Amino acid sequence: MNPLESQKTFTGKYLKNLTLYVFTAMMGGVLAGHYAPEQSIKLGVVSRYFFMILETLILPVIFMAVMYGISQLSEIKNAKNVIGQTILYFLIMSSVAIMIGFIFGLVMQPGSDTGIDVTRINTSLPKTFEIKDGSLSTLLYLNRHGIFLLLSILMGIAMNLTPQKAKFLSILDRGGNIFYTVIKYLYIILPLIIFCNIAYGVAVYGINTLLPLSKVVATVYIADIVFIFGVLGLVSYLFKFNLWKFLLDIKEEIILVVSTSSSKTAFPLIFEKMESQGYSRKILRFIIPLGYNFNLAGACIYLSVTCCFLVQFYNISLNVQDYIWLFIIISITSKTASGVPGSGFLALIFTLNRFGKIPLTDIALLYSVDRFMNEARSVTNFIGIAVSGAIISKINQHQKSKTLSA
């Protein structure tokens, strides 16, 4: 499959106008949720099942992409360098993201003097978030992406050892192309899904829900913007990589992530786009799938800001050791925040359960505006993952060209 052809037929014709479709769907959802709340509440099931189906389709794509990437590592001369660079980059970026979340959470104080009357909060949560911490089913559910990732890595290594490697790679390519096609056609109904999702949220929690919590939403957005243009901008500058041009090149995929509130919806497209721009296919197939588990900067920022909000909301006193422990927990639980919309909120519950010093009594308060923070979280995840693939690919392609010229 020619990436350029796929990009021209799909992103060129459909995603080019997706912004207008999404905006119209969002406005329609707000009006429907406000003026027809009873009917709109019933629409929540539509978006929920859509994203369940989408995740079911995308997980095999990631599984095959990781297998492909692992099997191709043996053909990269500096494979050890690529692995080392990837691990170091992911660790640094995740740690910086958590620190930025803490800094903005502590400086902006989103949980102080909110004036919120907790007696008027809708404390009910969808059954999706009713988890039994410590149970085997919960453990498997929260770590399903990690389990898939581990299996794909092991199978990729095993595929390297078989003489039928070329045949398996061909099967992976054909299978991936089939899933890509199905997923792309599924994207056509996204405006309808967005309409249902917004209408449900407005009907359940009301338009005015955002107002008293606007400060925590603003804190997440500002921290994400600083991370993208400050941290990633600095890293891009150091490696002589034009971040602004890169973001313009992947704007269609960013729009798709915003409209669905899920970074994984653009997973099939980002490969085509970046490969068509000259980035190494072998390196991208290794780094980007791993990034969807280990390089979730948006989730790290979201978790650290919302934890600060709750600490301030309940007027809890934490010392330096508490924040260090919370930092470690977020570093781990953020790895479960990759999936359908709401996975970040589930990771927040898991974080609070593990930390133990912040009550979950009024956690529905944050869920009421989680959809507003989900866009920023997902976009930051996606941009961070894409930039990591571009930078590491650029570094190794530059090193390769220097070796050849020498």
Side-chain angles (χ1 to χ4, degrees):
M1 180 179 65
N2 189 334
L4 290 172
E5 291 180 359
S6 177
Q7 181 184 335
K8 181 179 179 181
T9 57
F10 185 70
T11 47
K13 291 184 178 180
Y14 181 68
L15 288 181
K16 183 178 180 181
N17 299 314
L18 187 58
T19 305
L20 176 61
Y21 305 151
V22 168
F23 180 78
T24 304
M26 290 177 67
M27 292 300 100
V30 170
L31 293 174
H34 183 66
Y35 292 105
E38 293 183 4
Q39 292 78 8
S40 296
I41 290 176
K42 299 177 182 178
L43 296 177
V45 67
V46 177
S47 58
R48 184 168 70 252
Y49 281 113
F50 172 83
F51 286 113
M52 286 174 60
I53 294 171
L54 190 61
E55 183 180 26
T56 303
L57 292 172
I58 288 179
L59 273 177
V61 173
I62 295 178
F63 185 85
M64 289 184 285
V66 172
M67 283 183 62
Y68 187 96
I70 295 295
S71 64
Q72 291 292 294
L73 274 179
S74 60
E75 299 181 13
I76 301 176
K77 291 184 178 179
N78 57 337
K80 291 183 179 179
N81 289 340
V82 173
I83 295 172
Q85 291 163 1
T86 302
I87 294 173
L88 183 62
Y89 185 93
F90 286 178
L91 286 174
I92 292 175
M93 288 297 106
S94 297
S95 299
V96 170
I98 296 173
M99 291 304 300
I100 286 178
F102 279 152
I103 290 171
F104 277 90
L106 294 173
V107 171
M108 296 186 67
Q109 295 283 308
S112 300
D113 302 320
T114 60
I116 296 172
D117 183 3
V118 294
T119 62
R120 302 182 64 181
I121 298 172
N122 184 341
T123 58
S124 62
L125 287 173
K127 292 183 178 180
T128 311
F129 303 110
E130 296 177 0
I131 61 174
K132 295 180 180 179
D133 190 36
S135 67
L136 178 61
S137 59
T138 297
L139 187 64
L140 292 175
Y141 178 75
L142 289 173
N143 295 282
R144 62 195 183 282
H145 302 290
I147 294 171
F148 264 83
L149 181 66
L150 179 61
L151 288 175
S152 61
I153 291 174
L154 293 176
M155 291 187 68
I157 294 173
M159 196 165 66
N160 263 329
L161 303 176
T162 176
Q164 302 296 322
K165 175 181 173 180
K167 181 179 179 180
F168 282 124
L169 285 176
S170 177
I171 294 173
L172 285 177
D173 266 336
R174 290 199 299 269
N177 291 340
I178 292 173
F179 276 99
Y180 290 162
T181 303
V182 174
I183 291 170
K184 287 177 181 179
Y185 279 110
L186 195 62
Y187 288 161
I188 295 175
I189 63 172
L190 277 176
L192 173 63
I193 304 304
I194 294 165
F195 170 83
C196 296
N197 199 27
I198 296 295
Y200 171 80
V202 172
V204 173
Y205 297 103
I207 299 176
N208 295 329
T209 304
L210 180 62
L211 298 178
L213 292 166
S214 58
K215 197 172 181 181
V216 67
V217 176
T219 303
V220 170
Y221 271 80
I222 293 172
D224 284 333
I225 291 171
V226 169
F227 179 82
I228 292 171
F229 294 102
V231 177
L232 294 183
L234 176 61
V235 172
S236 300
Y237 175 78
L238 293 175
F239 289 101
K240 298 179 180 180
F241 171 72
N242 192 325
L243 177 64
W244 183 250
K245 181 180 181 301
F246 179 74
L247 295 180
L248 290 177
D249 288 339
I250 62 170
K251 60 182 181 298
E252 292 90 354
E253 287 72 23
I254 292 175
I255 292 172
L256 183 60
V257 172
V258 172
S259 64
T260 59
S261 299
S262 175
S263 58
K264 280 191 173 176
T265 53
F267 180 84
L269 300 181
I270 194 61
F271 281 122
E272 297 176 357
K273 178 64 70 68
M274 293 182 68
E275 287 171 14
S276 70
Q277 293 171 351
Y279 295 101
S280 171
R281 175 187 176 93
K282 295 176 182 177
I283 293 178
L284 291 179
R285 291 290 175 110
F286 171 71
I287 294 173
I288 290 182
L290 292 178
Y292 273 92
N293 277 87
F294 300 110
N295 188 29
L296 301 174
C300 291
I301 291 172
Y302 163 80
L303 291 173
S304 51
V305 169
T306 49
C307 283
C308 286
F309 167 83
L310 291 171
V311 167
Q312 295 153 13
F313 183 75
Y314 290 112
N315 196 25
I316 300 171
S317 178
L318 298 181
N319 55 35
V320 175
Q321 288 78 11
D322 290 328
Y323 278 106
I324 293 175
W325 177 231
L326 185 57
F327 177 96
I328 296 172
I329 293 174
I330 291 175
S331 299
I332 298 171
T333 56
S334 62
K335 306 303 180 285
T336 66
S338 174
V340 298
S343 56
F345 187 77
L346 194 61
L348 175 61
I349 295 176
F350 195 52
T351 300
L352 298 179
N353 277 331
R354 283 285 173 264
F355 186 57
K357 293 191 175 183
I358 304 174
L360 282 78
T361 310
D362 303 309
I363 193 68
L365 178 70
L366 280 173
Y367 181 71
S368 64
V369 292
D370 183 71
R371 66 186 65 251
F372 296 101
M373 294 184 282
N374 210 2
E375 283 81 1
R377 181 171 69 225
S378 300
V379 168
T380 306
N381 284 341
F382 176 72
I383 292 176
I385 293 166
V387 168
S388 68
I391 287 179
I392 295 176
S393 176
K394 182 180 176 66
I395 292 172
N396 288 278
Q397 285 175 313
H398 179 66
Q399 291 176 346
K400 182 179 179 181
S401 62
K402 285 178 65 178
T403 303
L404 291 175
S405 62

